[in-house]
Amino acid sequence: MNKIGDSFGSRSSLRVGNREYTIFRLDALDKQNISTKHLPFSLRILLENLLRTEDGRNVTKEEILALAKWSGKSKSEKEIAFTPSRVLLQDFTGVPCVVDLAAMRDAMKQLGGDPSLINPLQPVELVIDHSVQVDEFGSASAFDVNALLEFQRNKERYSFLRWGQTGFKNLAIVPPDTGIVHQVNLEFLARVVFVNDSDRTAYPDTLVGTDSHTTMINGLGCLGWGVGGIEAEAAMLGQPVSMLIPQVVGVKLTGKLREGATATDLVLTITEMLRKHGVVGKFVEYFGPGLPELSLADRATIANMSPEYGATCGIFPVDKESLNYLRLTGRSEEQIALVEAYCKEQGLFHDKNTPEAEYSELLSLDLATVEPSLAGPKRPQDRVPLPKAGESFHTALPSLIKPKSGATTQAPGVSAKQSSTWIQEGGSPAGVGVENHSHEEHVPKDVKSALKHGSVVIAAITSCTNTSNPSVLIAAGLLAKNAVEKGLTVPAWVKSSLAPGSKVVRDYLEKAQLLPYLEKLKFNIVGYGCTTCIGNSGPLPTEVSQAIDEKELVVASVLSGNRNFEGRINSEVRANYLMSPPLVVAFALAGRVDLDLHKDALGRGKDGKPVYLKDIWPSQSDVNSSMQKSISSDMFRKSYGEVYRGDDRWRGLSIPKGETYTWENDSTYIRRAPYFDGMSIKPSAVEDIKSARVLAVLGDSVTTDHISPAGSIKKDSPAGKYLQEHGVKPADFNSYGSRRGNHEVMVRGTFANVRLRNKMVNVEGGFTRHLPSGAEMSIFEASEKYLAEKTPLVILAGKEYGSGSSRDWAAKGPALLGVRAVIAESYERIHRSNLVGMGILPLQFVSGENAQSLGLTGEEIFDITGVSQLCDTFTAGRQIKVRANAQGKSKEFQALVRIDTPREAQYYANGGILQYVLRQLLSAKPSAQTVGV
């Protein structure tokens, strides 16, 4: 007889060596004439997840059948509940997660519940990697200086995390200066096959993470993707992830990469291809005869950039290469044996005899067609063949030049001088009590005459995308060696840095004797973290910054990262290009991006002759030989042997005590989250949105960086003024990302990106017009006026609204500003979900319509009717009536409601996902108490 919740008799056992495990067999369905052989690898993992978690409530027999009977012609209409094995966090998103959980404990206690119920029910792993920035560079002391400054700035945040580590169960924290979360996950945390220690059940290792590049682990065959922090918090507390059964796009890989092409070139090609095709909200799965030609690290590089091409995930199957990688990275032989046996038993192991699955759409790519490339200057999908780099820059230059100063560019509400400071102020935040450190000595005083449009001022080997891949790191080292031996040097104005994603990189570069050559070109290790890729590039040297400002230059950054959105890398740098690590070194040597490296020389060697890229580019055989000699599994075992220990500074932090957190009233880093203030056990009725004003009219490709920047805080901005009012000096501001535990800073920083273009005003940055007064002011100041007037707000936007990072503050911030609805042409997956999770209504213009075609300027008053019925009976694809009134005229149009699942309708009805979860935990309490404000 089947056990309760096991409708298909899938519960079975598997013996591996001398251990026996419980498993839920996929072929149990096949034995009942429900064929699953056609399912893509990713859907087979989801199917096992449903079989194992079937309870008749969250997961039903009917939902299992719906997934098992999926076909390539199926549409994404059926909702399922996915329960990940674990949750992955980084500190920029992890701190606000712990803040929210601590605030939920307070709310639970005030409502008469048990605060201990607010506790992760499955493993949560947090890696601190987002806080280190490049203050010091180009010197042997760079790492030590940057690590010291990181602790000085973030001591309060780190102490708070140490409280979370002791106050919550199942929360493991990897201390700072260890590595980048996704690389640590790939090299150490990922299990591929997870084992529940309490009942010895084995199942696929799946996860959600509060960083969009969580998909990197797809390269190892683990299914996972990025979600907003609020959705991750719900998952921690046992709430399954609501999703529609996805369409799956198959990408058939053939051939092999040509000489000179790298995994970075491949992923930029795939990003361009898939973004053009359209894969937003879909799974992408790679297969084909080209698969064995890609190393596991190559696959991880491709999977990492799934958010850039818009997919929910970009997954590779488990195969022999996966096992080899697990062995290389020091996983136990017992674990490797379990992975192999389990995957083969479940039909999840890929080899040359694996039949081709069925897909919703099928694309193909011949790896031999991939050519050396870069992407930019504003978006990852804008790939540029290497020979056309200079041509591409000059074509884009007119759109990159800073608007001329004057009345139309002056920031509303501040003087022209203050406006210039706010908008142009250099880079990331300065250090604690330290301005530009010793890097001033790198830059001669005559640098102003040398800098011009196209000069490279930042060259960063950074990010998990590429530093996890030994082939491109070794290639960069060999290229540096060849360059040094030729007598080439990096120009003084280039701020160069090397930020590996794990300490293993340092170990194999040292063993290969390549690190000294990188250091001679100023690519010293500056930290083990995200650094420049997330905007922690640090301030530019004063001479460089002054030259950019005085000559109004469009200068460039080159980085081996995954994102180059406007204002992200450094606020003074308007052109940003993604490329492989060896190309980063090459462009650093050239000192400019406006050239053709196939024809133009990088510089002159010690013999006075021109040196070209072809003269120093390493062969693939040289790269492979160096890798084989310098990388061993012992390096990984040693590096990760005490991964949770941390250094003396980490271990010496004071740790607050108590089940609930004692909030400090004077803290500017950690404040109690306000989302549960005034909350009752029973949610209020959903109401229509009436007499709403427009806060901003935005164009296409508005990213979460535009909505909630992670980088520097300007001293004359609303957030900067708040910090100064609370005794924080500008030198101690740190970054928006580091202050995500304080909603007062973050709400003031919402829409504060210096490159934001609100069509309601003629100025770059976070400004708008308050209506009906017409006064121009910061978006935060306008929102304060609207809140005082009890006026709800809407945002109008174009295509791909909310692309980029998974940051939930891009939804939290607008919610705190008073935004009730967003009307956009299209949304990126994670941000749309985050909006619902914060109780903001995502609406979409119907096909063929947008704000411009409807004549919407932002001066209208909006009524959105039918909202009150949205949560009564869920209907997918429902449209709703919107009326825009202006100057006595009324315009009505229909908008598509982007609440996509019945579960999301419940979240919206409760005012957000966290409120829903809290009410679920309190459902046994009948009293109608409210949480005190």
Side-chain angles (χ1 to χ4, degrees), residues 84-287:
S85 309
R86 57 192 174 98
V87 176
L88 187 69
L89 311 175
Q90 38 91 340
D91 57 303
F92 268 19
T93 51
V95 168
C97 278
V98 179
V99 166
D100 290 352
L101 292 177
M104 287 183 78
R105 278 193 173 177
D106 288 349
M108 178 69 83
K109 185 176 182 178
Q110 291 185 47
L111 287 165
D114 180 2
S116 68
L117 292 177
I118 307 299
N119 202 83
L121 299 180
Q122 59 224 57
V124 178
E125 294 152 338
L126 188 156
V127 179
I128 299 175
D129 63 357
H130 271 52
S131 295
V132 61
Q133 76 169 31
V134 188
D135 289 291
E136 175 67 5
F137 70 97
S139 71
S141 63
F143 173 79
D144 291 333
V145 170
N146 293 331
L148 175 63
L149 289 170
E150 176 189 358
F151 262 89
Q152 288 178 353
R153 293 174 180 135
N154 297 285
K155 185 176 181 180
E156 185 180 345
R157 295 172 64 238
Y158 293 169
S159 181
F160 175 70
L161 288 177
R162 291 295 304 271
W163 169 80
Q165 192 174 19
T166 58
F168 294 102
K169 298 176 182 177
N170 296 324
L171 174 60
I173 296 180
V174 175
D177 306 320
T178 302
I180 300 175
V181 58
H182 308 303
Q183 192 161 338
V184 173
N185 191 26
L186 184 74
E187 295 176 353
F188 175 70
L189 296 173
R191 291 78 154 168
V192 184
V193 173
F194 207 94
V195 176
N196 186 319
D197 292 332
S198 63
D199 60 8
R200 304 301 298 169
T201 298
Y203 45 92
D205 180 12
T206 58
L207 63 154
V208 292
T210 58
D211 189 286
S212 53
H213 295 105
T214 298
T215 54
M216 183 168 173
I217 204 61
N218 298 164
L220 191 55
C222 299
L223 183 60
W225 56 82
V227 297
I230 46 181
E231 195 170 358
E233 292 160 32
M236 293 179 209
L237 298 174
Q239 185 73 21
V241 176
S242 171
M243 62 183 294
L244 298 175
I245 299 176
Q247 292 183 315
V248 184
V249 178
V251 178
K252 186 173 186 177
L253 302 175
T254 60
K256 63 183 296 184
L257 292 175
R258 66 170 91 165
E259 181 74 25
T262 66
T264 314
D265 303 318
L266 173 57
V267 74
L268 294 180
T269 301
I270 288 175
T271 299
E272 177 189 46
M273 178 180 80
L274 293 183
R275 183 56 80 168
K276 285 181 178 178
H277 179 77
V279 295
V280 174
K282 301 175 183 178
F283 282 13
V284 169
E285 191 164 309
Y286 299 95
F287 71 102

Side-chain angles (χ1 to χ4, degrees), residues 156 666-671 722-723 726 728 739 742 745:
E156 185 180 345
D666 60 348
S667 174
T668 57
Y669 275 105
I670 306 296
R671 306 276 290 187
Y722 167 86
L723 289 172
H726 287 76
V728 181
R739 293 192 181 272
N742 183 348
V745 174

